[in-house]
Amino acid sequence: LPASLKVIGDNAFYRNYSLASVNIPDGITETMPKCFYATGIRSVKLPKSLKVIRNASFAICKKLECIDIPEGVETLELDAFGECISLKYVKLPSTLKTINRGVFWKCRSLKEITIPANVETIGEYAFFHCDSLKHVYNYSPEPQSLSVIFNRKGITIHVPATADTKGMINATTMAGMKDGVKIINLSRDSLVKSADMIEALASGKVSRYVTDFATPELIGVKGAILIPHLGASTEESEDNCAVMAALQMDDYLQNGNIKNSVNFPAVSMPR
């Protein structure tokens, strides 16, 4: 949609089944009732200027699989995403205060959702007949310091190897951990200083260190549990990747859709 756009009116794209994707420009502060009701959209990019998603704006968009609601949105009105039966992923902003009646009703594929800490109201039937919904989490935006995180009996590491994170598990940081702590590192070997870890294992400060980076100095060290670095190379994942590649190639040849390309953006085209 053009960058000059200021308003998308009620029922603007009502029941446009061939509409596959939409990019709403910045400047739009609200999506009006039923503006994309029962369309064929699979993806939508919402503007950072958005404050309110009005009644049934995206209701019955049965092909919509994910929605990232931007920071700044405070209200989801009646049936905003009702009966989006393929919707699997929803990211709610920390600014959200109100989830009105039936916002996600009959989103049968939705398995989990995180409710931001600022939400004050969840209306009746908000998640009515979300038959696959198993987990509802509470999100707190308050960050925790490493000293708090490290004060646990068990610690798992999930960060990339950068100039700031390399060697983050060392003699100094381990000294502040609980005695007998168990540490799992399946991210990168350089996050842990191996010499310091060997000393911590010998002293009992760390009781177990589990990693899939079997560096030579860790082999045979008591308390170090070294496992294969399989990544996507298990028998199951190899089968799944082969099936996925075949399906995506078929989708391209049949429909012109491009997904997960190394050097080309995702493209979705109606048949």
Side-chain angles (χ1 to χ4, degrees), residues 147-220:
S147 61
V148 173
I149 295 173
F150 285 165
N151 191 30
R152 302 285 193 272
K153 293 181 179 179
I155 297 170
T156 64
I157 306 170
H158 307 277
V159 296
T162 67
D164 294 326
T165 61
K166 287 182 178 179
M168 64 182 294
I169 305 299
N170 53 53
T172 301
T173 54
M174 286 188 286
M177 298 178 186
K178 290 181 178 293
D179 291 340
V181 65
K182 297 176 177 64
I183 299 175
I184 299 175
N185 173 25
L186 305 180
S187 295
R188 289 291 181 264
D189 61 327
S190 59
L191 301 175
V192 178
K193 287 193 173 181
S194 294
D196 293 353
M197 176 59 71
I198 292 170
E199 289 186 12
L201 287 167
S203 69
K205 183 66 180 182
V206 176
S207 63
R208 293 290 185 275
Y209 175 52
V210 181
T211 182
D212 58 353
F213 297 97
T215 54
E217 61 269 24
L218 287 172
I219 295 173

Side-chain angles (χ1 to χ4, degrees), residues 56 94 111:
S94 62
K111 294 183 179 181

